[in-house]
Amino acid sequence: ELVVNQAGTYRDVRGQSVFLNAGDVWKYGETTGTRYSQSELNNMIPGGVTMNPVYFGNIIEIKRFEKYLIYGHFFQHGSLPPGNRIFR
């Protein structure tokens, strides 16, 4: 997961304004190795984001858990995480 470093109002990937507190999820996704450089994380949104690994497993397990997190966020908040464009 990518979480916001600083509270503030940000533009999500759909162009809408969204207020997030520090530590709120910006995006769920799967990666192997170093998908984002530290510079990319620092500049993804104003104030940057921090990558927190939340699950380790094979590709099938990781994709299943990613879907679980994205759908869980949708059912809890009524929208996708601000940095996720689509349901996976």
Side-chain angles (χ1 to χ4, degrees):
E1 68 183 6
L2 299 178
V3 296
V4 175
N5 292 334
Q6 297 176 353
T9 301
Y10 302 100
R11 287 252 179 238
D12 67 14
V13 295
R14 292 164 293 284
Q16 303 297 314
S17 291
V18 59
F19 179 82
L20 296 171
N21 291 306
D24 284 350
V25 171
W26 174 255
K27 181 179 182 179
Y28 290 114
E30 54 114 344
T31 186
T32 56
T34 54
R35 178 174 181 177
Y36 300 110
S37 68
Q38 190 58 51
S39 175
E40 289 174 299
L41 293 172
N42 291 342
N43 295 307
M44 193 170 289
I45 60 172
V49 296
T50 299
M51 186 183 323
N52 294 326
V54 294
Y55 188 82
F56 297 90
N58 66 45
I59 194 72
I60 301 296
E61 294 168 338
I62 291 169
K63 294 246 185 238
R64 186 180 315 135
F65 195 69
E66 177 189 20
K67 184 179 291 264
Y68 168 79
L69 292 173
I70 291 172
Y71 276 80
H73 188 281
F74 179 81
F75 289 121
Q76 185 176 7
H77 300 283
S79 65
L80 290 172
N84 287 101
R85 289 186 184 345
I86 60 172
F87 288 100
R88 291 202 160 249

